[in-house]
Amino acid sequence: MGSILKDVELKENIPTTVIFSKHIEFLTDYGQQKESYEAVMTDYLRMSGMYWCLTALELINTSPFPKNDIVEFIKSCQDTESGGISASNDHDPHLLYTLSAVQILCLYDSLDAIDLEGVTRYVASLQNPDGSFAGDKWGEIDTRFSFCAVATLSLIKKLDVINIDKAVEFVKSCMNFDGGFGSRPQSESHAGLIYCCVAFLSITGKLDIVNQDNLAWWLCERQLPSGGLNGRPEKLPDVCYSWWVLSSLAMLGRLHWIDRNALKKYILACQDIETGGFADRPGDMPDPYHTLFGLAALSLLGLESIEKVNAAFCMPQSVIDKLQIHIQMLQ
Amino acid sequence: MVEQNAMCEKILRKLEHILSINTEIQEFAIVPTPEIEKNKSPVLYEHNCLGIESWCKQYLLQYTHSNLLEARKDLIRNSLTFEEKKNLNRVLIGALLIQPNVTTFWNMKRELVKSDILNTQLELDFSRIALTYHSKCNEIFSYRKWLIDLINLKQKNYALYKNELSLCETATEKSKNNYHAWNHRIWCLQNISAQYLEDMLISELNFSLSWISKHISEFSGFFYRQVLINSLHNLKSLFQIQMFNLEGILKYLKFSTLYDDPLYVFFHLLGKSNVFPIIEDCPKFVNLLAVLLHDLTYISTELNFLYCDHECLWNYRKFLVIHIMNVLYEYHGVVFHYHLVIPSENRTSLNEINMLNLDIKEVRNEIPRKVSSSNLYKIVIQNELEFIESNKNMVNILQNNLALRYFKWLKCSNFYKY
């Protein structure tokens, strides 16, 4: 009987080193198509797109864009009434983009440029009595938003304005028997949401509620023979999961439980040698999202030519150090 | 530019018109076509199917985005006339059929619903149509939840949830491992009134069984069944237990008993308990155990032989075994927390190998005697070892690895003792 494992096969002539100059080109060009069809298509998540590009560039020690323009853009996206920040001009404020904006401002050491009290007010207003967070005033609940809330507040040193105990209780209620987490209570374990919950607990210093080895076991099961990691059972490997699974393992103190050489080989194989950038799988179209998570994962794997990354915030460790923020990492 | 705007306006009017006269639209699609006949309308409409030709997508996208964002502030300030708001919805229809992941546009619709420009029922129809083409789009599910909560403020409606279930089924058929659709289904289960829960659980258990049999490599379907099984705790009656054919299951597990009454079979399996029975609690234990054992023998064993090499089946098996242990421990009044105990030599940094590929020595566990001496404990552990053995040393490397990995897991679990 033939094997039907869902995985990819790595070819012979795959890249085995990081092609830095190509990635810089790729990420720089990406930020400059303002009026194109693609730009309209991705307008609704522009702030996160900028965070992916700018953080990726920082990790490889480049910052080609004028700081002033970026800060001005972010300022123009803050809603004066609610204090929240939107993905782009005229869009509605949302926690996802509020976090991206705050992360970018931290990279540029410009937190004071926006109304931080407004941001604090906005995040606090989205917490529900059960501890969960809505993404915006319309009320969608997701553990992603719990992560966004504490990450944002931690970066601006305002964690004390929310009910942390309740917030932790909610995240705990999203834990499954396999040790993983889903987006809401009784939702399926998913590597992306596991990252959100583990990072949430790492930032709030409550990682001890995690069942460390049950979860690490599940995360190890995500590694496929190609070396790549998937996000749920029987799914294909994907570079973004390399980051989510790997950073979770790092916070759990179990980074050494997976085959790091094989993973490194897989991530390197996902680079596009012609255009630069990383794709989800070898040969697919690259994009800034996978480029950031590919580079960040390589940083966790100890590649010295890439800046050290912080596992909870997915930002350069030097930036987090400068802000004097400490996250919890299990042994 | 003027010409393109006029064309877009024409397309939008046509889409709006069709949706207003026909509430039975089954499907929407963007149909790949080259840009050839620009003087022919790109709106496709036949047999209750609606579509647009792909070449007009980019014009429509640019036109709707700029119009909607321009009007965004005015809508918030409530400075639009009734007519202007109506017109805005026409643009929203076009924008959201093409790109439904733009939260801001759904928010504009929410505001139009709140100001009574749009009707909740018609909005459920529209979002259903949008979902047929973008079946993984979370913003659509989120909008539907919002609408349903709004309708429910007046009256809890069973039919509404029934309708959501079939919508989820369509969405999960269209996109594999559709996380948001399954979440939506779970949300229905969590929100339905208690009086309907039993009916729904029974029909959902049947649904999930047939769904799993047809989608053996989609873990989301297995996970949904786990949620259903966990909800059995809420049931008070011994519902159609025959459905799971306890007798057949026990035969399969080579367990013979003189009793017919499921309750007595249950006692025979679990042994004498000092804390049990609290008679009201019996049904839930019997129900739960019947379903768990049924799934262990049917789904996890039979399907495994029919469809080899599926990690999902092995994963589901873990859930079943853990939960059988849970019933057993709870019955004997012992608190059970499943966890893995990794031997110290497997904890060291090895770097070049996945921990799961290392040899793992057996961990010594202390199991309460009452648990380990029960018939159920013995048959389940024996059954697992036989199952692993029958899947090991097969020509199929993948299945072999799955069996080995499962054995390692069993050896590390805190309930295993052989």
Side-chain angles (χ1 to χ4, degrees), chain B residues 210-349:
Chain B
S210 87
W211 204 90
I212 285 173
S213 318
K214 285 180 251 156
H215 304 81
I216 209 74
S217 62
E218 284 188 57
F219 194 70
S220 299
F222 290 87
F223 182 81
Y224 181 63
R225 194 164 175 83
Q226 297 179 13
V227 175
L228 294 173
I229 291 177
N230 287 332
S231 311
L232 288 175
H233 265 289
N234 302 326
L235 293 189
K236 294 259 180 292
S237 62
L238 259 179
F239 70 93
Q240 307 161 342
I241 203 78
Q242 313 81 307
M243 173 167 125
F244 296 106
N245 181 16
L246 196 55
E247 208 181 312
I249 297 164
L250 295 175
K251 207 177 267 175
Y252 203 111
L253 292 168
K254 297 182 222 97
F255 180 69
S256 55
T257 176
L258 297 169
Y259 307 107
D260 289 332
D261 185 332
L263 209 54
Y264 283 97
V265 177
F266 177 75
F267 292 139
H268 191 189
L269 274 171
L270 280 83
K272 241 177 125 174
S273 165
N274 298 331
V275 288
F276 209 81
I278 306 158
I279 212 75
E280 301 83 68
D281 276 353
C282 285
K284 80 172 186 198
F285 277 102
V286 178
N287 281 334
L288 193 58
L289 195 62
V291 178
L292 291 168
L293 290 175
H294 164 272
D295 283 11
L296 188 69
T297 52
Y298 176 68
I299 296 188
S300 217
T301 306
E302 288 289 281
L303 292 183
N304 179 71
F305 288 119
L306 277 174
Y307 309 97
C308 229
D309 344 298
H310 284 289
E311 190 188 358
C312 289
L313 284 167
W314 291 91
N315 257 20
Y316 186 55
R317 202 173 180 96
K318 289 182 191 168
F319 166 84
L320 295 171
V321 172
I322 291 166
H323 282 74
I324 290 170
M325 291 300 153
N326 212 6
V327 171
L328 192 51
Y329 275 71
E330 199 181 331
Y331 171 82
H332 286 289
V334 189
V335 179
F336 175 65
H337 289 296
Y338 148 71
H339 65 93
L340 294 168
V341 187
I342 314 292
S344 52
E345 57 266 37
N346 290 84
R347 298 180 158 273
T348 49
S349 171

Side-chain angles (χ1 to χ4, degrees), chain A residues 270-283:
Chain A
C270 293
Q271 299 177 98
D272 190 315
I273 36 173
E274 276 160 36
T275 62
F278 290 71
D280 54 357
R281 284 178 279 284

Side-chain angles (χ1 to χ4, degrees), chain A residues 41 92 188 213 221 261, chain B residues 72 99 179 318 347 352:
Chain A
M41 276 296 275
D92 292 0
E188 185 185 352
D213 286 346
E221 286 179 335
N261 282 350
Chain B
R72 183 69 193 109
Q99 204 194 6
Y179 192 80
K318 289 182 191 168
R347 298 180 158 273
E352 322 308 359

